[in-house]
Amino acid sequence: MNSSKKIAVVTGANRGIGFELCRQLAKKSFKVILTARDPAKGEVAAKKLSAEGLDVGFQCLDVTSEESIQRFVSGMNQMGRLDVLINNAGALLDPPRHPPDTAGASIMNAKLDLIRQSLETNTLGVLRLTQLLVPLMLKNKYGRIVNISSGMGQLSDMEGGWPGYRISKTALNAVTKIFAEELRGTNILVNSVCPGWVKTDMGGSNAERTPEVAAGPILFLAMLPDAGPTGGFFRDREPIAW
């Protein structure tokens, strides 16, 4: 491996936005580590991108498992550097709010176990992985961390339904802000981004954007200059309310 080549990690990247981010980062001369919980799916995804002549490798990572995270971080420490971390892995576990009285769709009868699972994937997994990978960035005095959030987590525009997802993404925005404040002056920039409504397994076929379109504003944050913003929440390259 070329030791001067920047390294990017994208979690939950065997499909959708994460997969496209791996492709676009590799096209910008990054060595990309594509991660996924399912080894078979992750290997297939990485091989597909490698077949395009892109420098993409696969590492298994379940962000809800401390053992998996520790194993992954150990491998990254052996590489000796990390320049970009995109925390893309996430889950929408709430039942759909159609009709409005669907069991569990309302916070009035939401199951706490489901909310805990949402927090484990969408918030606590990001928190733990970031804690353990930041030292690599500090070592090299450079880092860009992008947390894939959602407008559904905006307190300024909070609505009903999908409580597990909304709460976990609001908490993720808080995690982003805290990391950003504690890392000010280190050249590690930490931001959240809402990719919009995207045609993925989560977003569905009626969504407005393709993963290719959604990846652009995320890459913008992943490649910010040294004087770039930190602690922000963005959509389409512009800051939005929390």
Side-chain angles (χ1 to χ4, degrees), residues 141-163:
K141 299 182 175 60
Y142 180 93
R144 302 292 180 262
I145 301 171
V146 186
N147 296 328
I148 308 301
S149 187
S150 170
M152 291 174 72
Q154 286 179 276
L155 287 174
S156 60
D157 195 29
M158 188 61 67
E159 297 179 354
W162 299 280

Short mmCIF file of all heavy atoms in Angstrom, two decimals, residues 141-163:
data_model
loop_
_atom_site.label_atom_id
_atom_site.label_comp_id
_atom_site.label_asym_id
_atom_site.label_seq_id
_atom_site.Cartn_x
_atom_site.Cartn_y
_atom_site.Cartn_z
N LYS A 141 -2.71 14.28 12.61
CA LYS A 141 -3.17 15.68 12.62
C LYS A 141 -4.11 15.99 11.45
O LYS A 141 -4.07 17.07 10.87
CB LYS A 141 -1.97 16.64 12.60
CG LYS A 141 -1.07 16.49 13.82
CD LYS A 141 0.08 17.49 13.77
CE LYS A 141 0.93 17.44 15.03
NZ LYS A 141 1.53 16.12 15.26
N TYR A 142 -4.95 15.02 11.12
CA TYR A 142 -5.92 15.22 10.03
C TYR A 142 -7.05 14.22 10.17
O TYR A 142 -6.82 13.03 10.44
CB TYR A 142 -5.26 15.03 8.66
CG TYR A 142 -6.22 15.22 7.51
CD1 TYR A 142 -6.35 16.47 6.90
CD2 TYR A 142 -7.01 14.17 7.05
CE1 TYR A 142 -7.25 16.66 5.86
CE2 TYR A 142 -7.91 14.35 6.01
CZ TYR A 142 -8.03 15.59 5.42
OH TYR A 142 -8.92 15.78 4.39
N GLY A 143 -8.27 14.70 9.95
CA GLY A 143 -9.41 13.79 9.93
C GLY A 143 -10.68 14.49 9.52
O GLY A 143 -10.88 15.67 9.80
N ARG A 144 -11.52 13.73 8.81
CA ARG A 144 -12.85 14.22 8.44
C ARG A 144 -13.84 13.12 8.82
O ARG A 144 -13.75 11.98 8.35
CB ARG A 144 -12.94 14.50 6.94
CG ARG A 144 -11.92 15.53 6.43
CD ARG A 144 -12.20 16.93 6.98
NE ARG A 144 -11.24 17.91 6.49
CZ ARG A 144 -10.16 18.32 7.16
NH1 ARG A 144 -9.88 17.78 8.34
NH2 ARG A 144 -9.35 19.23 6.66
N ILE A 145 -14.78 13.47 9.68
CA ILE A 145 -15.80 12.52 10.14
C ILE A 145 -17.16 13.03 9.71
O ILE A 145 -17.52 14.18 10.01
CB ILE A 145 -15.75 12.34 11.66
CG1 ILE A 145 -14.36 11.83 12.09
CG2 ILE A 145 -16.85 11.38 12.13
CD1 ILE A 145 -14.14 11.83 13.59
N VAL A 146 -17.90 12.21 9.00
CA VAL A 146 -19.23 12.58 8.52
C VAL A 146 -20.23 11.56 9.04
O VAL A 146 -20.11 10.36 8.78
CB VAL A 146 -19.29 12.63 6.99
CG1 VAL A 146 -20.66 13.17 6.54
CG2 VAL A 146 -18.17 13.49 6.41
N ASN A 147 -21.21 12.04 9.79
CA ASN A 147 -22.25 11.18 10.34
C ASN A 147 -23.53 11.34 9.52
O ASN A 147 -24.04 12.45 9.39
CB ASN A 147 -22.51 11.52 11.80
CG ASN A 147 -21.30 11.26 12.67
OD1 ASN A 147 -20.53 10.33 12.41
ND2 ASN A 147 -21.11 12.06 13.71
N ILE A 148 -24.02 10.23 8.97
CA ILE A 148 -25.23 10.30 8.14
C ILE A 148 -26.43 10.35 9.06
O ILE A 148 -26.80 9.37 9.72
CB ILE A 148 -25.33 9.10 7.19
CG1 ILE A 148 -24.03 8.93 6.40
CG2 ILE A 148 -26.52 9.28 6.25
CD1 ILE A 148 -23.63 10.11 5.56
N SER A 149 -27.05 11.51 9.12
CA SER A 149 -28.20 11.74 9.99
C SER A 149 -29.47 11.83 9.13
O SER A 149 -29.56 11.21 8.08
CB SER A 149 -27.98 13.01 10.82
OG SER A 149 -29.01 13.16 11.77
N SER A 150 -30.42 12.61 9.58
CA SER A 150 -31.69 12.73 8.87
C SER A 150 -32.42 13.97 9.34
O SER A 150 -32.33 14.35 10.52
CB SER A 150 -32.56 11.50 9.13
OG SER A 150 -33.87 11.69 8.65
N GLY A 151 -33.19 14.57 8.44
CA GLY A 151 -34.06 15.68 8.82
C GLY A 151 -35.09 15.24 9.84
O GLY A 151 -35.64 16.08 10.57
N MET A 152 -35.35 13.93 9.93
CA MET A 152 -36.29 13.42 10.92
C MET A 152 -35.74 13.54 12.33
O MET A 152 -36.47 13.34 13.30
CB MET A 152 -36.65 11.96 10.61
CG MET A 152 -37.48 11.81 9.35
SD MET A 152 -37.76 10.09 8.90
CE MET A 152 -38.93 9.59 10.17
N GLY A 153 -34.46 13.90 12.45
CA GLY A 153 -33.86 14.11 13.76
C GLY A 153 -33.74 15.58 14.14
O GLY A 153 -33.15 15.89 15.17
N GLN A 154 -34.29 16.46 13.33
CA GLN A 154 -34.22 17.90 13.63
C GLN A 154 -35.22 18.28 14.71
O GLN A 154 -36.43 18.16 14.52
CB GLN A 154 -34.53 18.72 12.38
CG GLN A 154 -33.44 18.75 11.34
CD GLN A 154 -33.86 19.56 10.12
OE1 GLN A 154 -34.53 19.04 9.24
NE2 GLN A 154 -33.48 20.82 10.10
N LEU A 155 -34.74 18.77 15.84
CA LEU A 155 -35.65 19.26 16.87
C LEU A 155 -36.47 20.44 16.37
O LEU A 155 -37.62 20.63 16.76
CB LEU A 155 -34.86 19.66 18.12
CG LEU A 155 -34.28 18.52 18.96
CD1 LEU A 155 -33.40 19.10 20.06
CD2 LEU A 155 -35.39 17.68 19.55
N SER A 156 -35.86 21.22 15.48
CA SER A 156 -36.53 22.42 14.97
C SER A 156 -37.70 22.10 14.06
O SER A 156 -38.53 22.96 13.78
CB SER A 156 -35.52 23.29 14.20
OG SER A 156 -35.00 22.56 13.11
N ASP A 157 -37.79 20.85 13.61
CA ASP A 157 -38.85 20.47 12.67
C ASP A 157 -39.40 19.08 13.03
O ASP A 157 -39.76 18.30 12.16
CB ASP A 157 -38.31 20.47 11.24
CG ASP A 157 -39.41 20.45 10.19
OD1 ASP A 157 -40.51 20.96 10.49
OD2 ASP A 157 -39.18 19.89 9.10
N MET A 158 -39.46 18.79 14.33
CA MET A 158 -39.85 17.46 14.79
C MET A 158 -41.34 17.22 14.60
O MET A 158 -42.17 18.07 14.94
CB MET A 158 -39.47 17.28 16.26
CG MET A 158 -39.65 15.86 16.78
SD MET A 158 -38.62 14.65 15.90
CE MET A 158 -36.98 15.17 16.40
N GLU A 159 -41.66 16.05 14.05
CA GLU A 159 -43.05 15.65 13.87
C GLU A 159 -43.28 14.33 14.59
O GLU A 159 -42.41 13.84 15.31
CB GLU A 159 -43.37 15.54 12.38
CG GLU A 159 -43.25 16.86 11.64
CD GLU A 159 -43.56 16.73 10.16
OE1 GLU A 159 -43.78 15.59 9.69
OE2 GLU A 159 -43.61 17.77 9.48
N GLY A 160 -44.45 13.72 14.37
CA GLY A 160 -44.77 12.46 15.03
C GLY A 160 -44.36 11.26 14.20
O GLY A 160 -43.96 11.37 13.04
N GLY A 161 -44.50 10.08 14.80
CA GLY A 161 -44.18 8.84 14.11
C GLY A 161 -42.70 8.50 14.15
O GLY A 161 -41.86 9.35 14.43
N TRP A 162 -42.41 7.23 13.87
CA TRP A 162 -41.03 6.73 13.79
C TRP A 162 -40.18 7.18 14.99
O TRP A 162 -39.08 7.73 14.82
CB TRP A 162 -40.38 7.17 12.48
CG TRP A 162 -41.08 6.66 11.27
CD1 TRP A 162 -40.98 5.40 10.73
CD2 TRP A 162 -42.00 7.38 10.45
NE1 TRP A 162 -41.80 5.30 9.61
CE2 TRP A 162 -42.43 6.50 9.41
CE3 TRP A 162 -42.52 8.67 10.47
CZ2 TRP A 162 -43.34 6.88 8.44
CZ3 TRP A 162 -43.43 9.05 9.51
CH2 TRP A 162 -43.82 8.16 8.51
N PRO A 163 -40.64 6.97 16.21
CA PRO A 163 -39.93 7.52 17.38
C PRO A 163 -38.51 6.98 17.55
O PRO A 163 -37.61 7.74 17.93
CB PRO A 163 -40.83 7.12 18.56
CG PRO A 163 -41.62 5.96 18.07
CD PRO A 163 -41.85 6.24 16.61
#
